[in-house]
């Protein structure tokens, strides 16, 4: 956890620009699953007019429309706090528009390439068709997460560079390119999954916790695991 605090510091970046489809639920479930294990937490909401603190443990970014996405990328690049936090080993979990802008480049609504924050070796552009609907994917076995599910609504197509790895292979849906979904590099993870992703996939939340606090005890199955199984079964009908 943070060198300056005994609490797990969860940083929610730009909720005024990047928070579509209830992505703040990712913050809530991460905090809840930490506290159920006796891990004290602190949640910091960073608006686009604020500086991004460097001394966080887990940084979360949600989805957004085209113009807010551009504004968020510009401000994050100018601020530099997120990049410095990633360089010092913080975990980053970014969804949809947030996923695209933490990469090297992403496309605007006219398919022009724009610079991203550059903490994940991916490059995104606009595809010919929009990906909308349920998505199911099998996570890289090295991460110990299993099968994940979510909702996608984007026109992005994302190519993964040599420094990153695909988060998962798609079973249903489009994801990055109709073959893989998301990407990760060290403790930086991006995905197109809304839902929100962490409430629908508690094992993903636990992965972020393990990255920051080490081994964690299992929890008794509850509504999160039930929701995961229900949505998975519905998506594969």
């Amino acid at each position: 956890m943070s060198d300056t605090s005994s609490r797990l510091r969860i940083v929610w970046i730009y909720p005024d620009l990047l928070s579509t489809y209830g992505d703040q639920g990712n913050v809530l479930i991460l905090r809840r699953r930490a506290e159920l294990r006796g891990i004290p937490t602190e949640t910091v909401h960073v608006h686009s007019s604020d500086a991004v603190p460097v001394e966080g443990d887990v940084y979360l970014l949600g989805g957004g429309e085209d113009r807010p996405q551009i504004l968020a990328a510009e401000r994050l690049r100018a601020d530099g706090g997120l990049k410095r936090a990633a360089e010092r080993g913080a975990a980053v979990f970014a969804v949809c528009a947030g996923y695209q802008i933490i990469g090297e480049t992403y496309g605007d609504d006219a398919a022009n390439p724009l610079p991203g924050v550059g903490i994940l070796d991916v490059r995104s552009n606009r595809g010919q068709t929009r990906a909308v609907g349920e998505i199911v994917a099998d996570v890289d076995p090295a991460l110990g997460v299993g099968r994940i599910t979510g909702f996608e609504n984007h026109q992005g197509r994302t190519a993964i560079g040599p420094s990153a790895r695909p988060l998962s292979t798609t079973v249903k849906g489009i994801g990055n390119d109709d073959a893989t979904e998301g990407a990760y590099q060290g403790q930086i993870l991006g995905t197109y999954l809304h839902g929100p992703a962490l409430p629908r996939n508690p094992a993903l939340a636990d992965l972020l916790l393990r990255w920051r606090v080490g081994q964690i005890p299992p929890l008794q199955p509850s509504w999160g695991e039930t929701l995961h199984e229900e949505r998975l079964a519905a998506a594969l009908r």
Side-chain angles (χ1 to χ4, degrees):
M1 290 188 285
S2 172
D3 295 336
T4 61
S5 172
S6 60
R7 294 177 177 271
L8 182 79
R9 198 176 196 204
I10 301 168
V11 183
W12 177 225
I13 293 182
Y14 296 176
D16 52 333
L17 296 177
L18 301 174
S19 188
T20 57
Y21 300 112
D23 287 328
Q24 188 175 358
N26 293 325
V27 179
L28 301 177
I29 200 67
L30 185 64
R31 184 178 68 194
R32 178 62 176 162
R33 292 186 74 81
E35 292 176 346
L36 285 172
R37 295 177 167 97
I39 302 168
T41 66
E42 174 190 2
T43 302
V44 180
H45 288 226
V46 179
H47 292 268
S48 58
S49 57
D50 302 330
V52 177
V54 175
E55 299 295 331
D57 292 297
V58 185
Y59 292 75
L60 297 106
L61 299 87
E65 302 300 328
D66 292 336
R67 185 55 187 164
Q69 179 186 32
I70 293 171
L71 288 173
E74 290 173 346
R75 293 181 184 186
L76 286 172
R77 291 179 67 247
D79 175 85
L82 178 60
K83 188 166 188 176
R84 291 194 298 273
E87 289 170 346
R88 57 173 285 276
V92 178
F93 181 78
V95 174
C96 203
Y99 168 34
Q100 293 182 359
I101 65 175
I102 66 171
E104 297 294 336
T105 61
Y106 68 100
D108 66 10
D109 57 1
N112 300 306
L114 298 174
V117 179
I119 59 174
L120 182 61
D121 188 12
V122 299
R123 290 158 180 81
S124 300
N125 54 32
R126 291 180 71 84
Q128 295 298 311
T129 58
R130 193 164 190 87
V132 181
E134 291 290 310
I135 181 167
V136 177
D138 289 327
V139 174
D140 185 337
L143 298 180
V145 171
R147 180 164 284 187
I148 57 175
T149 177
F151 178 80
E152 62 179 339
N153 184 3
H154 62 93
Q155 200 163 341
R157 298 297 183 269
T158 298
I160 300 173
S163 296
R165 299 181 65 178
L167 171 64
S168 58
T169 55
T170 52
V171 176
K172 176 181 180 180
I174 303 298
N176 295 326
D177 56 6
D178 210 18
T180 65
E181 201 295 305
Y184 73 100
Q185 181 176 334
Q187 296 187 356
I188 300 166
L189 189 158
T191 177
Y192 279 112
L193 270 62
H194 293 285
L198 299 188
R200 283 181 64 160
N201 302 283
L204 264 184
D206 289 351
L207 172 66
L208 297 175
L209 293 177
R210 290 198 303 273
W211 278 350
R212 296 309 301 148
V213 304
Q215 290 302 309
I216 52 177
L219 297 175
Q220 289 294 322
S222 64
W223 65 266
E225 287 75 13
T226 299
L227 175 64
H228 174 76
E229 294 303 321
E230 287 177 350
R231 296 313 306 160
L232 186 58
L236 291 176
R237 281 184 191 143

